[in-house]
């Protein structure tokens, strides 16, 4: 079976590619390297001993998509390509809408033309906006998104629903991620954003390794246990395995399906810092700064539906996430 993975050299995409190859799928990757690097191709082969077919292109390039779908018999698509920084999306909304919606529309158009109907979508818990209740279940209200990143994901969910209504064979499995962190246990692939990190864990590890001077914690006056934001963090390898479970669901059923992928446990920013220091035996200096536009106080999941219907649940704990995140940055710095 041949799977097209968009954004397959990025943080989550590369881990999904590894899991696909480990399960003997054939993989074609398209990635424009805007937030990844070409050497990930070699690292994936080092981990798995297997090759991928790689196209360095923007997913919005319909001529390239036409070539991919014509040349390769694609059975299903995993769509990771997209911009993902909440803070940046507030500053650059047009960029986020153009990229995230445009890539999805181009991709779906070519899928339908080539009668490829199985679609695994990288959505986000941000579609729930400021949660109506916690933990969040899939039937919670969506909307009221607090940033353009989240709004773009919500818009795409609606687009996929409309396409499914018009074309019932088109089967999207929409995965609402909580907060992926960690790295592959080899330390060969992990989260390596270009420039200053926007997400918590890449920032923590760069402060711990001495690359950055101090961690900025955005807000200590939220209505949480210690005033800092609470999130549900999931190991990226668990998240990647969730995509394989979703793929099997899509191949066996027709419809549109929604699943939360998280652990069901919320940790505050301060708890994350303290746990990282304890597990890795390092200090992470930090300072409190003003809240960041678009952020909410708390967000964590009820992922029981994914277990009941997909047979998937997170297996790696917080210590694994902390250890693997730091191991990755130390491996990078050895070069």
């Amino acid at each position: 079976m041949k799977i097209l993975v968009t954004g397959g050299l990025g943080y989550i995409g590369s881990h999904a590619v590894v899991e696909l190859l480990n399960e003997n799928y054939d993989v074609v990757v398209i990635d424009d390297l805007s937030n990844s690097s070409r050497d990930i191709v070699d690292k994936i082969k080092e981990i798995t001993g297997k090759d991928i077919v790689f196209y360095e292109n923007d997913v919005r390039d319909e001529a390239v998509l036409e070539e991919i779908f014509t040349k390769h018999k694609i059975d299903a698509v995993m769509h990771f390509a997209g911009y993902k920084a909440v803070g940046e999306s507030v500053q650059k909304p047009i960029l986020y809408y153009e990229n995230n919606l445009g890539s999805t529309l181009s991709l779906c158009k070519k899928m339908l033309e080539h009668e490829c109907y199985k679609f695994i979508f990288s959505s986000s818990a941000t579609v729930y906006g400021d949660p109506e209740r916690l933990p969040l279940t899939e039937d919670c209200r969506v909307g009221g998104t607090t940033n353009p990143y989240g709004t773009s994901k919500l818009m795409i969910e609606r687009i996929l629903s409309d396409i499914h209504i018009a074309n019932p064979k088109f089967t999207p499995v929409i995965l609402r991620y909580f907060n992926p962190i960690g790295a592959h246990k080899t330390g060969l692939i992990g989260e390596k954003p270009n420039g200053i990190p926007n997400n918590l864990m890449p920032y923590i590890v760069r402060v711990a390794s001495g690359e950055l001077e101090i961690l900025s914690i955005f807000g200590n006056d939220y209505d949480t246990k210690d005033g800092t934001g609470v999130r549900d963090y999931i190991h990226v390898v668990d998240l990647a395995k969730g995509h394989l479970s979703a793929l099997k669901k899509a191949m066996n059923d027709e419809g549109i399906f929604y699943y939360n992928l998280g652990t069901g446990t919320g940790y505050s920013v301060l708890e994350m810092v303290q746990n990282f220091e304890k597990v890795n035996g390092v200090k992470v200096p930090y300072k409190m700064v003003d809240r960041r536009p678009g952020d909410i106080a708390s967000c964590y999941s009820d992922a029981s539906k994914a277990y009941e219907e997909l047979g998937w649940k997170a297996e790696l704990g917080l210590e694994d996430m902390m250890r693997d995140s730091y191991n990755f940055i130390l491996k990078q710095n050895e070069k």
Side-chain angles (χ1 to χ4, degrees), residues 4-14 17 28-38 40-41 44 52-59 64-65 68 80-82 194:
L4 174 62
V5 183
T6 73
L9 301 188
Y11 175 43
I12 302 169
S14 62
V17 169
V28 179
V29 167
I30 180 170
D31 195 305
D32 66 0
L33 305 184
S34 61
N35 200 25
S36 58
S37 59
R38 181 178 284 275
I40 301 299
V41 173
I44 287 171
I52 61 171
V53 177
F54 173 55
Y55 290 81
E56 183 184 339
N57 294 97
D58 191 314
V59 181
V64 173
L65 291 180
I68 291 172
F80 297 97
N194 296 327

Side-chain angles (χ1 to χ4, degrees), residues 146-205:
T146 59
N147 54 77
Y149 163 72
T151 305
S152 74
K153 292 293 188 182
L154 184 60
M155 287 178 170
I156 293 168
E157 288 196 8
R158 180 58 187 267
I159 289 167
L160 297 178
S161 174
D162 289 343
I163 296 172
H164 168 70
I165 291 168
N167 304 270
K169 286 185 178 180
F170 182 74
T171 299
V173 183
I174 294 167
L175 302 178
R176 293 170 176 165
Y177 307 168
F178 283 72
N179 292 67
I181 61 173
H184 195 268
K185 62 183 179 182
T186 60
L188 289 170
I189 56 173
E191 189 168 14
K192 191 180 180 183
N194 296 327
I196 300 297
N198 286 287
N199 296 328
L200 177 63
M201 188 51 61
Y203 215 117
I204 287 177
V205 296

Side-chain angles (χ1 to χ4, degrees), residues 93-104:
I94 293 174
L95 180 71
Y96 272 67
Y97 291 127
E98 279 186 340
N99 184 74
N100 293 3
L101 273 65
S103 63
T104 306

Side-chain angles (χ1 to χ4, degrees), residues 127-143:
V127 301
Y128 294 113
D130 203 345
E132 63 173 319
R133 66 176 186 270
L134 291 171
L136 283 159
T137 58
E138 290 82 355
D139 60 358
C140 282
R141 180 189 64 237
V142 296

